[in-house]
């Protein structure tokens, strides 16, 4: 079995190199926005959409035009990859998976990528990478890089530059050490409830930091734009955002590892479907305004978390030889596992499930997790795994943090 791995380290560039890195990121953003503007103009004129290859031809022209000659000084491959990203964004848009591509802003998701190992060198022993036109750049080497080099990405996060090195590894087909199956219900009050009865509370420190973030953002709004104090505040916010992301990621990794280690089959709800069908969950007889506000806060924190959690579970299961099944979420929170009665009345409050027909009662989230597990077994028994069994994650997945 072939595995894709990604190692992420913090770069330690000299100030001049850091400026150069920022310049390359800026060129990529310029190319992306210019190509996007071009596509939009063509769209408005009713002309055909340009693909990646046609855009690359445009890029050559821009690199030679006097008004954008600075592009000629940036390495070509990351610029082309930017066009590839735009192409993919458009394809996602055309196929209904995403919104229309938007212009990139300075300082948001600054990143660029070298798609071919011929374009960079990784000196694992000394913890440094060599990049075209940038030379050698040191990174904080927290672990060794294993496998065949595939591609390399540079990105900015919280005021620092990071390198992400993706490799491919050939390993023996794993056999999952456990034979058990588990249903997982993700939610707001409890981050996850398992059909075994175990629950995972969301991290408390996240809420604290989120509040602080809101405060800092209000402070930013009071400052005059682009002035010194505004910039300082902006940097403080970026740092805090990065910290929140680290806490969340750490929590998600610990939780997904625990579940993946202990169960060969993990059943989840298909959340893209659920967000539509169960959006009102938790607000039925909401016990008070404060509770709702807190739930809203947690939800905003965890919204991205759920998708990332599933992604982690999927690749971790792939590594261990287990599987993840995603099921239709309809009625999982309203079905009585004992008599099969389905009713919204069964779930009068957020916390407790009580069947109105047979009187069976249980923790509402654990009950949902049990129904999810049952639905997962049904899917597998029918062999109806089309769309339910996810293909093994082929995105680069393992992340090694060097903070
Ligand atoms: Zn019942």
């Amino acid at each position: 079995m072939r595995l894709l791995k990604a190692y992420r380290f913090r770069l330690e560039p000299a100030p001049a190199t850091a400026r150069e890195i920022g310049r390359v990121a800026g060129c990529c953003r310029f190319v992306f926005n210019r190509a996007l503007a071009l596509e939009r103009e063509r769209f408005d004129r009713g002309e055909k959409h340009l693909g990646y290859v046609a855009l690359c031809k445009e890029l050559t022209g821009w690199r030679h035009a006097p008004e954008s000659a600075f592009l000629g000084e940036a390495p070509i491959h990351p610029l082309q990859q930017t066009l590839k990203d735009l192409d993919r964004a458009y394809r996602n848009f055309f196929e209904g998976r995403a919104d229309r591509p938007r212009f990139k802003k300075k300082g948001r998701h600054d990143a660029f990528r070298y798609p071919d190992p011929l374009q960079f060198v990784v000196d694992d022993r000394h913890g440094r990478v060599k990049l075209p036109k940038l030379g050698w750049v040191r990174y904080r080497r927290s672990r060794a890089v294993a496998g065949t080099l595939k591609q390399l990405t540079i990105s900015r996060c919280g005021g620092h530059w990071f390198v992400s090195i993706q490799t491919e590894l050939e390993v023996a087909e794993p056999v999952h050490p456990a034979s058990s199956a588990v249903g997982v219900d993700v939610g707001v009050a409890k981050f996850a409830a398992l059909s075994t009865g175990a629950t995972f509370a969301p991290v408390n420190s996240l809420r604290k930091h989120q509040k602080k973030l809101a405060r800092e953002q209000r402070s930013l709004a009071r400052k005059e734009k682009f002035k010194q104090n505004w910039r300082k505040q902006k940097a403080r916010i970026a740092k805090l955002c990065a910290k929140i992301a680290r806490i969340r990621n750490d929590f998600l990794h610990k939780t997904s590892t625990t579940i993946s280690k202990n169960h060969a089959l993990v059943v989840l709800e298909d959340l893209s479907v659920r967000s539509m069908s169960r959006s009102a969950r938790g607000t039925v007889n909401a016990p008070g305004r404060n509770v709702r506000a807190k739930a809203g806060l947690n939800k905003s924190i965890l919204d991205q978390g759920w998708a990332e959690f599933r992604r982690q579970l999927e690749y971790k299961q792939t590594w261990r030889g287990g599987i993840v099944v995603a099921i239709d979420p309809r009625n999982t929170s309203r079905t009585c596992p004992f008599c099969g009665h389905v009713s919204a009345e069964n779930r009068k409050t957020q916390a407790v499930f009580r069947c109105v027909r047979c009187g069976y009662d249980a923790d509402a989230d654990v009950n949902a997790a049990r129904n999810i597990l049952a639905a997962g077994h049904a899917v597998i028994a029918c062999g109806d795994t089309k769309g339910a069994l996810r293909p093994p994650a082929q995105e680069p997945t393992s992340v090694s943090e060097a903070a």
Side-chain angles (χ1 to χ4, degrees):
M1 182 172 86
R2 275 200 316 218
L3 278 185
L4 290 173
K5 291 197 90 164
Y7 301 86
R8 187 166 178 262
F9 306 110
R10 181 158 143 194
L11 284 177
E12 291 181 319
T17 314
R19 275 194 297 279
E20 285 301 318
I21 294 174
R23 213 162 287 156
V24 176
C27 286
C28 286
R29 183 173 58 243
F30 177 89
V31 165
F32 184 94
N33 286 342
R34 178 131 186 207
L36 178 54
L38 177 67
E39 295 282 23
R40 288 193 172 187
E41 282 164 27
R42 292 179 62 88
F43 180 83
D44 291 340
R45 288 197 300 263
E47 290 171 5
K48 203 169 159 279
H49 175 79
L50 292 178
Y52 170 64
V53 175
L55 284 175
C56 280
K57 279 190 192 137
E58 294 288 332
L59 174 62
T60 309
W62 299 339
R63 279 165 66 94
H64 290 106
E67 77 275 9
S68 51
F70 58 90
L71 292 178
E73 283 163 28
I76 178 82
H77 298 104
L79 299 179
Q80 289 172 342
Q81 289 299 301
T82 297
L83 295 176
K84 203 162 238 175
D85 291 343
L86 178 65
D87 194 44
R88 185 174 311 132
Y90 259 110
R91 238 177 306 141
N92 286 340
F93 168 56
F94 290 145
E95 286 160 26
R97 286 188 299 267
D99 293 335
R100 194 177 181 197
R102 280 183 297 185
F103 291 102
K104 281 191 197 294
K105 274 193 197 155
K106 187 179 177 184
R108 288 200 58 185
H109 310 295
D110 278 344
F112 54 93
R113 145 176 110 243
Y114 298 92
D116 190 321
L118 292 173
Q119 297 150 7
F120 56 86
V121 180
V122 177
D123 180 359
D124 181 45
R125 234 183 77 192
H126 299 100
R128 54 183 193 158
V129 287
K130 192 178 184 188
L131 305 171
K133 303 200 180 187
L134 293 169
W136 287 106
V137 189
R138 300 191 61 87
Y139 62 80
R140 292 187 181 181
R141 184 183 181 281
S142 55
R143 62 188 292 199
V145 174
T148 316
L149 296 175
K150 297 298 283 183
Q151 59 171 13
L152 184 147
T153 305
I154 304 287
S155 62
R156 176 153 43 197
C157 182
H160 296 290
W161 289 103
F162 291 82
V163 60
S164 193
I165 303 162
Q166 283 143 46
T167 69
E168 196 174 63
L169 223 55
E170 188 69 44
V171 296
E173 199 81 45
V175 177
H176 202 286
S179 58
S180 60
V182 73
V184 181
D185 178 59
V186 293
V188 173
K190 303 185 187 90
F191 173 74
L194 306 190
S195 53
T196 56
T199 58
F200 295 85
V203 242
N204 281 327
S205 66
L206 263 186
R207 190 183 300 163
K208 200 179 79 198
H209 284 98
Q210 193 80 2
K211 273 188 181 155
K212 191 171 172 207
L213 179 64
R215 211 159 51 229
E216 301 281 14
Q217 273 166 341
R218 279 196 300 274
S219 161
L220 179 72
R222 285 194 299 269
K223 291 185 168 43
E224 198 175 340
K225 258 195 175 177
F226 308 118
K227 287 280 167 64
Q228 183 72 10
N229 278 334
W230 182 85
R231 278 180 216 284
K232 269 193 208 159
Q233 185 65 13
K234 195 95 175 149
R236 196 174 298 147
I237 287 175
K239 215 172 155 185
L240 189 56
C241 282
K243 185 171 188 180
I244 289 174
R246 274 201 303 277
I247 296 173
R248 176 174 51 213
N249 251 341
D250 180 56
F251 168 75
L252 292 176
H253 272 296
K254 279 179 182 153
T255 311
S256 60
T257 297
T258 303
I259 295 173
S260 163
K261 262 187 180 167
N262 292 311
H263 303 284
L265 167 65
V266 178
V267 187
L268 297 167
E269 289 176 313
D270 196 334
L271 282 177
S272 52
V273 185
R274 190 177 95 155
S275 60
M276 288 181 277
S277 66
R278 234 211 256 175
S279 55
R281 180 186 177 193
T283 60
V284 187
N285 292 352
R289 276 166 66 192
N290 206 13
V291 172
R292 269 182 80 163
K294 270 185 201 157
L297 203 57
N298 270 336
K299 189 176 175 326
S300 68
I301 297 165
L302 291 169
D303 264 351
Q304 310 162 353
W306 289 336
E308 172 63 15
F309 180 60
R310 169 165 169 183
R311 192 188 69 84
Q312 291 179 3
L313 272 175
E314 279 173 351
Y315 80 74
K316 286 178 186 179
Q317 285 297 77
T318 306
W319 285 5
R320 292 199 168 88
I323 54 170
V324 172
V325 172
I327 55 118
D328 185 335
R330 258 171 301 176
N331 295 333
T332 50
S333 66
R334 308 188 284 184
T335 305
C336 172
F338 193 71
C339 72
H341 183 60
V342 180
S343 166
E345 293 289 298
N346 287 347
R347 177 81 183 266
K348 277 206 177 130
T349 65
Q350 169 66 27
V352 179
F353 177 94
R354 180 170 290 119
C355 179
V356 289
R357 192 158 85 189
C358 73
Y360 170 87
D361 63 351
D363 176 285
D365 297 312
V366 171
N367 185 57
R370 288 191 182 134
N371 284 328
I372 289 167
L373 175 59
H377 278 310
V379 164
I380 289 180
C382 298
D384 177 23
T385 51
K386 210 191 281 172
L389 268 176
R390 298 287 146 183
Q394 273 305 311
E395 293 283 305
T397 40
S398 146
V399 168
S400 148
E401 267 287 350

